[in-house]
Amino acid sequence: ELVVQFQVLNQSCQCLAWKPRPVGMWPCPSESQHVVAGYSDGTVRVFSVSRTEMELKMHPHAAALTAITYSTDGEMILSGGKDGTVAISSPRTGMTIHVLADHKGSPITVLQCTRKQYHNFGVEGGELWLATSSDRRVSVWAADWLQDKCELLDWLSFPAPAGPEGLDSLPPSLAVFCPWEHGVLVYVGFGLQKEALFYSLRKKQVLRKISLPAFATSLSLSPAAPFMAIGFGDRLLRLQPCPAGAPQDYAGHDDTVHFCCFAPSGRRLLTASHSAVLVWELTGA
């Protein structure tokens, strides 16, 4: 059932994210829910679902947006553009606080935030966040939003062969923090091998690798159990136990599985291809 719809004329919505609920707060009918969306003209718009209206419009980018997310407390919006710039903006004031050009020249494919212990990794701040760009680079940052601090923690660059044949376009570079193994991120992308890499931010090295049947086109990690969902270009969806175990492969899509995302409970999985959106029930996970 379609509950509410927002339309922006003459612009395409490239990415969106739900505002996270504060820790310890239970959902209630009066609670205002918000969605932030990034558009092809470089604008960011914040919509109130409960009031069915646009509350804020910002223009932090000169190029189309390709990735967007909230900080874990919902107090900041991180947005990435096709030109590789990352902007950090306040939805309270509408001001852009930081513009980072470390990935400039390559589209941002992933932005993700996660909470951390205050003294982890020897840097200040209560949050880690990462940015991934299509040139197989990942930057990891420690942030203290209240103190206006943002410090580069790690910089990863993954090698790949030159001039691939038989690929119309390169598979996306995707990185996510591992919810069941703190201080570890998982990376998939075009490279020397078809594999998922588990990288330790503490040890500054790849801990292990999981072989894949093809280059991944989408990735999601379950927040409730050690499982990965991986989409591929040949209409295949794989559920992979971690750190090891027999994978389960599923068909059902009509095209490349370009999006997959676990529900916060970990009991459902949402996947999408060209003209199909599927919801999966994970009974044994």
Side-chain angles (χ1 to χ4, degrees):
E1 180 184 0
L2 178 63
V3 178
V4 62
Q5 183 174 349
F6 301 100
Q7 287 185 319
V8 176
L9 298 178
N10 303 319
Q11 297 298 330
S12 60
C13 179
Q14 311 279 57
C15 48
L16 54 83
W18 282 98
K19 182 178 181 179
R21 184 175 295 114
V23 176
M25 179 179 290
W26 293 94
C28 62
S30 62
E31 181 189 344
S32 177
Q33 292 183 314
H34 291 84
V35 171
V36 63
Y39 287 84
S40 53
D41 62 349
T43 58
V44 171
R45 290 170 167 87
V46 178
F47 299 97
S48 169
V49 176
S50 55
R51 290 202 290 271
T52 65
E53 64 182 16
M54 185 180 77
E55 291 190 348
L56 179 66
K57 177 184 175 182
M58 300 179 286
H59 201 156
H61 293 273
L65 271 79
T66 52
I68 200 163
T69 191
Y70 275 96
S71 60
T72 55
D73 59 7
E75 292 298 314
M76 292 293 167
I77 293 172
L78 288 73
S79 53
K82 191 175 182 180
D83 59 358
T85 59
V86 175
I88 301 168
S89 309
S90 168
R92 289 184 180 272
T93 65
M95 300 292 292
T96 297
I97 300 167
H98 295 287
V99 176
L100 306 173
D102 299 71
H103 290 268
K104 194 168 185 178
S106 185
I108 302 297
T109 53
V110 178
L111 290 169
Q112 189 195 10
C113 299
T114 186
R115 288 184 178 86
K116 76 172 188 68
Q117 296 299 315
Y118 197 78
H119 295 293
N120 275 9
F121 311 106
V123 292
E124 293 185 354
E127 185 155 305
L128 289 181
W129 65 273
L130 64 78
T132 308
S133 50
S134 59
D135 58 358
R136 302 173 302 281
R137 293 184 298 168
V138 181
S139 61
V140 183
W141 305 74
D144 187 333
W145 306 121
L146 293 177
Q147 299 297 323
D148 195 25
K149 291 182 179 179
C150 194
E151 182 179 347
L152 182 65
L153 180 66
D154 209 337
W155 182 267
L156 313 178
S157 184
F158 295 93
E165 296 181 2
L167 289 176
D168 295 331
S169 60
L170 292 180
S173 301
L174 305 172
V176 292
F177 291 111
C178 184
W180 62 80
E181 196 170 355
H182 296 302
V184 172
L185 62 84
V186 179
Y187 172 85
V188 296
F190 179 68
L192 301 175
Q193 304 292 334
K194 301 177 179 71
E195 57 192 3
L197 304 176
F198 286 71
Y199 177 86
S200 170
L201 294 169
R202 290 189 179 88
K203 297 182 178 180
K204 307 285 187 182
Q205 66 183 37
V206 174
L207 299 177
R208 57 186 175 275
K209 305 174 181 180
I210 294 180
S211 296
L212 303 176
F215 291 116
T217 54
S218 55
L219 173 70
S220 181
L221 274 61
S222 169
F227 283 91
M228 290 194 303
I230 310 165
F232 298 99
D234 55 357
R235 301 172 295 189
L236 181 71
L237 173 70
R238 168 166 287 191
L239 192 64
Q240 174 70 58
C242 300
Q248 304 171 51
D249 291 338
Y250 301 93
H253 282 282
D254 57 355
D255 205 332
T256 297
V257 185
H258 62 76
F259 178 83
C260 57
C261 182
F262 279 99
S265 66
R267 291 192 295 268
R268 285 190 175 90
L269 175 68
L270 181 76
T271 61
S273 58
H274 175 68
S275 61
V277 176
L278 303 183
V279 179
W280 306 79
E281 190 89 29
L282 279 74
T283 56

